Amino acid sequence: MGRLLALTLAYLAHLLAAAIASERQQHRVQHGPCSYTFVLPEVEHCHPPKDFQVTNTLQRDSPPEPEPELDPSQSRPGKAQKERSSSQEKKLESLESAMENNTQWLHKLENFIQENVRSGMEEIKRSAVHTQTAAMLEMGTNLLSQSAEQTRKLTDVETQVLNQTSRLEIQLLEYSLFTNRLEKHILLQTQEISRLSEKNSFLEQRLLALEARYGRERQGLQSEKQQLQELLERQGRLVGQLQGELGSSTLNSTSLQRQQASLADTVQQLLAMVNHCNEISSSPKEESLGFRDCTEILRSGVTASGTYSILLPNSTRTVKVFCDMKTRGGGWTVLQRRTNGSVNFHRGWRDYKMGFGEPSGEHWLGNDIIHKLTSSQEYGLHVQLRDREGNEVFSHYDRFYIDGENRNYSLHAEGFSGTAGRTSSLTHSGTQFSTKDRDNDQCTCKCAQLASGGWWFEACGPSNLNGMYYPASSSVVRYNGIKWYYWKGPNLMATMTTMMVRPANF
């Protein structure tokens, strides 16, 4: 298209130059937004007659108009004029043919220009569309970039809001957990206060009963003392009478002396009895038995279950224990018993070492006593359990003992059998004893604090008979209660537990 425009411009410049040089007439054609200027061809060195006029007949590609007829009077025909007219006609015809050719060429040129201009306009339109599309894409890209930036900022803000919300939720959860712990602590304190109040009432009633019993015994001893004093007075009078008879009678001196010695011995015995009664009235009489455990008491003929005194091996110390003379042949020395939750078992190391509670009720015999008892000979352990439905089971161990305090009362048990689970719920041998103030378990947490009580926890293992005692009416699952896992899972809800030992060779 560029070459065509160049040729067109060159041709138009040539025609323009020729028109300027000869001062020829110009013809301008307007086609749409484009205009075309043409120089009309003329016959050079030709002097047409005065009445000759140039018209657009050549440009219209139409035959020439007929010449007007001349007046015969005005015409001067001549040979030269005829020749001149014929030559002019020839030139005119040649010019008309040339103009016709030029007109056809111009029509072709115009059609070609229109087609090229149309294609050029279409190309320009396409390029404009492409340019606009590129501009729109660039604007879209910028908008997308700005939108991505705004989205990123919104995401950052949303992340910050979510982080802040998460922190607030965590704080609320911590406050909720702290509130729950406080509520549990208050509940435990309330339960402990109620237990202490019940225990205080029980102790007051028992103290009143003991005072009444001691009052009755003291009154009986006082009456016995009075009777002995009266007997002593009568014996004294009898001695005086005998001494009078001894003075009056010398024949029976030997017999009297014997009677006097016998009476003196009787008086001494009576005085000793009076002194002994005085001692009984001032302080209760202490029993001094030589039995090492309840098995020896059973073998001595005692068959009733109750509280008895035993002498610890290699010691002069006697302790009160409860003897079970009925279960599986009897002779069991009870180490631990729980029946109603009246005694608090969430205690420290010293209480579990020395023992607490009453042998006739809920109690722990004491780790020192259990160690001395089970280390003197081979003992078996029998654990009895009863749930709130009244089902009773047991776990029996053929060999049981615990080490001393220097080894933290480590547990040793073997030879399991029984109905309380398919396997033993007691922890492995070698497990040390732990309390809330002395942590000897294998867990990073403090099992005695979490599960409560003192026990051979290992890693908060499958058993804890010294956990919190919850009433049988409670239906809430609690993990710090009495536990014997392989029988009832983590929450036993036991109403009775008993641990007792008996010599293995019974």
Side-chain angles (χ1 to χ4, degrees), residues 231 438 464:
L231 179 61
R438 186 175 293 189
N464 178 18

Side-chain angles (χ1 to χ4, degrees), residues 357-427:
E358 295 293 332
S360 59
E362 293 195 339
H363 72 283
W364 179 262
L365 187 58
N367 288 336
D368 273 350
I369 299 174
I370 297 173
H371 162 64
K372 291 179 180 179
L373 181 64
T374 58
S375 300
S376 62
Q377 58 178 320
E378 287 191 359
Y379 277 87
L381 173 66
H382 190 77
V383 179
Q384 269 192 311
L385 305 169
R386 182 171 64 236
D387 62 11
R388 58 184 177 181
E389 286 81 17
N391 301 314
E392 289 195 16
V393 294
F394 71 92
S395 292
H396 185 79
Y397 300 87
D398 296 334
R399 180 79 173 90
F400 168 80
Y401 70 96
I402 66 172
D403 294 327
E405 187 178 13
N406 59 340
R407 295 187 178 179
N408 296 320
Y409 303 115
S410 297
L411 171 75
H412 299 275
E414 58 185 24
F416 167 76
S417 62
T419 59
R422 64 183 184 276
T423 185
S424 172
S425 294
L426 203 61
T427 51

Side-chain angles (χ1 to χ4, degrees), residues 17 44 60 66 130 152 173 252 297 396 409 447 464 473 504:
E44 295 181 357
R60 290 198 303 271
H130 289 317
R152 186 185 62 78
L173 182 59
N252 298 325
I297 295 175
H396 185 79
Y409 303 115
C447 297
N464 178 18
S473 59

Side-chain angles (χ1 to χ4, degrees), residues 296-342:
E296 292 188 356
I297 295 175
L298 177 66
R299 287 170 176 169
S300 69
V302 178
T303 58
S305 299
T307 303
Y308 299 93
S309 296
I310 63 171
L311 182 66
L312 292 178
N314 301 322
S315 174
T316 58
R317 177 188 173 189
T318 59
V319 294
K320 296 284 188 180
V321 296
F322 187 86
C323 295
D324 184 343
M325 302 300 190
K326 304 299 181 182
T327 303
R328 298 172 64 88
W332 297 101
T333 304
V334 178
L335 309 181
Q336 182 256 28
R337 185 165 65 168
R338 305 186 73 177
T339 56
N340 54 18
S342 60

Side-chain angles (χ1 to χ4, degrees), residues 122-140:
E122 292 177 356
E123 185 176 357
I124 289 170
K125 289 180 180 179
R126 284 195 298 271
S127 63
V129 170
H130 289 317
T131 305
Q132 292 178 359
T133 305
M136 293 298 291
L137 289 174
E138 185 177 359
M139 293 173 64

Side-chain angles (χ1 to χ4, degrees), residues 25-27 40 53-62:
Q25 291 184 359
Q26 296 179 355
H27 181 72
L40 297 177
Q53 294 181 356
V54 178
T55 65
N56 291 334
T57 305
L58 296 175
Q59 296 181 9
R60 290 198 303 271
D61 297 333
S62 61

Side-chain angles (χ1 to χ4, degrees), residues 410-460:
S410 297
L411 171 75
H412 299 275
E414 58 185 24
F416 167 76
S417 62
T419 59
R422 64 183 184 276
T423 185
S424 172
S425 294
L426 203 61
T427 51
H428 299 92
S429 294
T431 303
Q432 299 179 358
F433 198 83
S434 294
T435 59
K436 63 181 181 180
D437 56 348
R438 186 175 293 189
D439 184 26
N440 296 317
D441 55 46
Q442 303 298 319
C443 182
T444 54
C445 59
K446 292 185 177 181
C447 297
Q449 290 284 3
L450 295 175
S452 77
W455 193 252
W456 297 277
F457 285 109
E458 195 175 23
C460 303

